[in-house]
């Protein structure tokens, strides 16, 4: 075989190989971990890492059915029992949101202490994994379990990046995301200004927590007023449901329409009042 013929055969073989590799047998491109859904993120933000979205949904359905059955047995009215069944189903989700807000406020108070501990450890010459693992014993109580899991995973695998990803998922907090990504960049590219950056971040977090605490104190009466305004008509309805005339009235099509309209108005007014008094929240843009 001549040289041009050999080159032609080689080119044909390479072309056939590329065509074959471009088909279904081509190696799959690796993708990053799938971002958790909104309900999963909400449960993580509330610190309920042992509860999954399916369990939360089952709890909502069960509590909604229980509330509907109890009101139905008590009043004998289908429309009123369905309305309170909806309230019962929404209760677990609202409680999780409340826990998430409380945990976020608690973390906002302790993040400066965490950053100070990290800066001190870095200044003392400890490595980043050792500095983070030390927070499992020296850090704030509310954050010790996530850092303990980070230390255990890093000791077991030795992969700092994977342990940081697990730590970020456990923390489920915007400030935690920023701290984790800062440490990741410092680990990958190095830098002698990490201590100064951490101290500056601690100062900023303290000022932000002080200002937000003052605003939340002033905002509290708006939230309480919104909850009272929404709950009052339905408490009155439940008290009136003990009278037969009221039950007959709400079992009619007009009564059902009034309940639906009242529920829609209460929901819209509640959301509007909360939106007016809502403070800007940090988003997990690095999640």
């Amino acid at each position: 075989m001549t040289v041009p013929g050999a080159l032609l055969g080689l080119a044909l073989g390479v072309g056939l190989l590329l065509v074959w590799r471009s088909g279904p047998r081509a190696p799959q491109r690796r993708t990053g971990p799938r971002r958790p859904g909104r309900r999963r993120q909400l449960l993580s933000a509330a610190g309920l890492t042992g509860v999954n979205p399916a369990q939360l949904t089952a709890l909502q359905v069960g509590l909604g059915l229980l509330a509907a059955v109890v009101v139905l047995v008590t009043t004998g009215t289908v429309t009123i029992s369905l309305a309170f069944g909806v309230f019962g189903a929404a209760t677990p989700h609202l409680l999780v949101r409340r826990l998430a807000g409380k945990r976020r406020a608690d973390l906002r108070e302790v993040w400066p202490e965490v950053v100070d501990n990290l800066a001190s450890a870095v200044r003392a010459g400890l490595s980043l994994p050792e500095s983070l693992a030390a927070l499992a014993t020296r850090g704030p109580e509310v954050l010790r379990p996530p850092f303990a899991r980070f230390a255990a995973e890093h000791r077991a695998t030795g992969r700092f990046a994977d342990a940081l990803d697990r730590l970020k998922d456990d923390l489920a907090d915007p400030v935690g995301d920023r701290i984790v990504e800062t440490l990741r960049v410092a680990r990958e590219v190095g830098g002698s200004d990490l201590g100064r950056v951490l101290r500056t971040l601690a100062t900023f977090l303290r000022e932000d927590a002080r200002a937000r605490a003052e605003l939340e104190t002033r905002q509290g009466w708006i939230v309480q007023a919104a909850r009272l305004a929404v709950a009052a008509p339905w408490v009155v309805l439940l008290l009136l449901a003990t009278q037969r005339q009221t039950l007959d009235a709400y079992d009619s099509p007009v009564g059902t329409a009034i309940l639906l309209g009242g529920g829609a108005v209460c929901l819209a007014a509640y959301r509007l009042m909360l939106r007016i008094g809502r403070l800007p929240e940090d988003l997990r843009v690095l999640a």
Side-chain angles (χ1 to χ4, degrees), residues 18-276:
L18 293 176
V19 171
W20 178 71
R21 295 288 289 177
S22 65
R25 298 183 180 181
Q28 299 295 324
R29 180 176 298 177
R30 296 183 62 185
T31 57
R34 186 174 59 179
R35 185 172 182 177
R38 295 183 61 182
R39 290 170 71 86
R40 171 70 71 178
Q41 292 183 7
L42 180 62
L43 289 169
S44 299
L48 303 175
T49 55
V51 181
N52 57 46
Q55 292 173 332
L56 177 60
T57 302
L59 178 60
Q60 289 184 266
V61 173
L63 191 58
L65 290 176
L66 178 62
V69 170
V70 170
V71 176
L72 180 62
V73 172
T74 304
T75 64
T77 307
V78 177
T79 52
I80 296 179
S81 63
L82 290 178
F84 282 92
V86 172
F87 295 153
T91 299
H93 183 75
L94 295 177
L95 289 178
V96 172
R97 289 179 62 90
R98 184 177 179 86
L99 286 175
K102 184 178 183 303
R103 181 175 180 268
R104 193 177 298 115
D106 293 340
L107 292 182
R108 194 179 299 120
E109 296 294 330
V110 300
W111 277 126
E113 179 182 350
V114 172
V115 177
D116 286 340
N117 287 335
L118 286 175
S120 299
V122 170
R123 188 167 57 248
L126 294 179
S127 64
L128 290 180
E130 293 172 342
S131 302
L132 290 171
L135 292 173
T137 56
R138 295 190 303 165
E141 289 287 344
V142 68
L143 288 175
R144 288 184 180 182
F147 286 106
R149 287 191 290 268
F150 164 84
E153 181 167 352
H154 186 265
R155 283 196 303 267
T157 64
R159 293 193 292 267
F160 184 69
D162 294 342
L164 277 183
D165 291 335
R166 170 66 184 274
L167 176 63
K168 187 163 63 172
D169 293 338
D170 285 346
L171 294 174
D173 186 78
V175 179
D177 292 344
R178 293 199 292 269
I179 295 174
V180 167
E181 294 302 326
T182 300
L183 297 178
R184 190 194 306 275
V185 172
R187 173 80 171 188
E188 292 178 354
V189 303
S192 58
D193 295 334
L194 178 60
R196 182 173 58 84
V197 171
L198 290 176
R199 288 190 295 272
T200 303
L201 178 60
T203 303
F204 169 77
L205 292 176
R206 284 192 174 88
E207 294 176 354
D208 180 72
R210 189 181 303 111
R212 183 173 288 271
E214 182 179 353
L215 293 175
E216 287 179 348
T217 301
R218 299 181 180 180
Q219 181 204 29
W221 69 272
I222 298 178
V223 177
Q224 297 300 329
R227 292 171 180 168
L228 181 61
V230 170
W234 299 99
V235 173
V236 173
L237 173 64
L238 189 60
L239 295 176
L240 292 177
T242 57
Q243 301 179 4
R244 175 51 53 183
Q245 295 179 349
T246 303
L247 299 179
D248 295 338
Y250 282 111
D251 265 338
S252 64
V254 177
T256 302
I258 291 176
L259 284 178
L260 292 176
V265 170
C266 287
L267 179 61
Y270 180 73
R271 296 296 299 269
L272 179 61
M273 187 174 294
L274 289 184
R275 187 174 184 85
I276 292 174

